[in-house]
């Protein structure tokens, strides 16, 4: 249930991200402080690649209680997030931001399916995927009860796996997938 709520929150935030424009903007940064009431983010870049504003080193905060911004289930200091906000951010800005939403930044892993287990997949990153430099086999954690598009996928199929956070060391290393968005692409 928690994963379903987290997924729905992420999906809504992704839809909001697609709507950035006009007076709404998006930045990517790292959570520096996180509580139930407030989040502080060290901004690293504008999410829109066409926006060349240098905002590196800018630190913004936003209250969760005074806005309609829901906390991200399980967000911790060090997570990379995308923040949707109103107004214009400049490098001199510090302090509160008129945030509309935020979500964990997602990445995509393209990999060949090796095995499907009840709570995880074993995959081999394609040569062109950046994670191929870090691991030959990766364990992709999934919710065993989640309705996955890949049920019935065969060994050797190519998957597109959206995930959050960094590769977790282990044997094999792991990524935290967004279950409902894993797709067979070949």
């Amino acid at each position: 249930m928690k994963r379903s709520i987290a997924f729905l929150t992420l999906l809504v935030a992704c839809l909001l991200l697609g709507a950035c424009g006009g007076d709404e903007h998006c930045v990517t940064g790292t959570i520096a402080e996180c509580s139930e009431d407030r989040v502080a983010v060290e901004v690293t870049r504008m999410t829109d690649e066409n926006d060349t504003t240098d905002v590196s080193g800018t630190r913004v905060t936003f209250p969760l209680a005074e806005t309609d911004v829901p906390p991200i289930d399980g967000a911790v200091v060090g997570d990379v997030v995308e923040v949707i906000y109103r107004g214009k951010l400049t490098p001199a800005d510090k302090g509160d931001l008129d945030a509309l939403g935020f979500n964990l930044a997602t990445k995509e892993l393209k990999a060949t399916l090796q095995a499907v287990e009840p709570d995880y997949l074993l995959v081999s990153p394609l040569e062109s995927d950046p994670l191929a430099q870090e691991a030959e086999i990766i364990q992709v954690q999934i919710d065993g009860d989640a309705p996955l598009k890949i049920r019935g996928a065969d060994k050797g199929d190519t998957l597109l796996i959206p995930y959050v956070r960094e590769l977790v060391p282990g044997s094999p290393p792991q990524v935290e997938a967004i279950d409902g968005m894993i797709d067979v692409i070949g």
Side-chain angles (χ1 to χ4, degrees):
M1 182 67 174
K2 267 184 139 178
R3 272 188 169 234
S4 296
I5 292 170
F7 171 72
L8 287 174
T9 302
L10 179 65
L11 182 61
V12 168
C14 286
L15 291 173
L16 284 173
L17 275 173
C20 287
D23 197 33
E24 295 175 7
H25 303 279
C26 306
V27 292
T28 300
T30 304
I31 296 179
E33 298 174 31
C34 187
S35 71
E36 290 182 19
D37 314 330
R38 180 176 270 321
V39 174
V41 174
E42 294 287 340
V43 177
T44 53
R45 64 181 174 82
M46 300 300 290
T47 303
D48 178 359
E49 294 175 6
N50 296 323
D51 189 337
T52 58
T53 307
D54 180 11
V55 291
S56 57
T58 302
R59 183 179 180 131
V60 295
T61 59
F62 52 95
L64 299 175
E66 298 169 19
T67 66
D68 293 331
V69 178
I72 297 176
D73 186 34
V76 295
V77 171
D79 280 346
V80 177
V81 293
E82 294 170 336
V83 180
I84 304 121
Y85 64 94
R86 221 179 257 115
K88 191 73 174 158
L89 184 66
T90 67
D93 287 340
K94 303 273 189 246
D96 283 352
L97 190 64
D98 187 9
L100 302 173
F102 77 116
N103 63 287
L104 291 173
T106 59
K107 302 170 189 172
E108 292 182 336
L109 166 63
K110 290 182 182 173
T112 304
L113 180 62
Q114 299 300 323
V116 178
E117 300 296 335
D119 295 325
Y120 65 90
L121 308 173
L122 288 177
V123 300
S124 298
L126 298 183
E127 263 185 48
S128 59
D129 193 279
L131 290 183
Q133 304 301 316
E134 298 183 45
E136 290 181 23
I137 297 287
I138 294 176
Q139 181 173 316
V140 179
Q141 293 303 121
I142 57 173
D143 181 349
D145 298 327
L148 296 178
K149 296 178 197 175
I150 61 154
R151 300 271 188 231
D154 295 317
K155 181 178 179 178
D157 285 348
T158 302
L159 305 178
L160 179 62
I161 306 167
Y163 68 98
V164 295
R165 299 196 169 96
E166 299 300 318
L167 188 65
V168 177
S171 184
Q174 300 176 19
V175 295
E176 185 178 337
I178 304 170
D179 295 342
M181 296 177 71
I182 298 173
D183 208 358
V184 178
I185 58 172

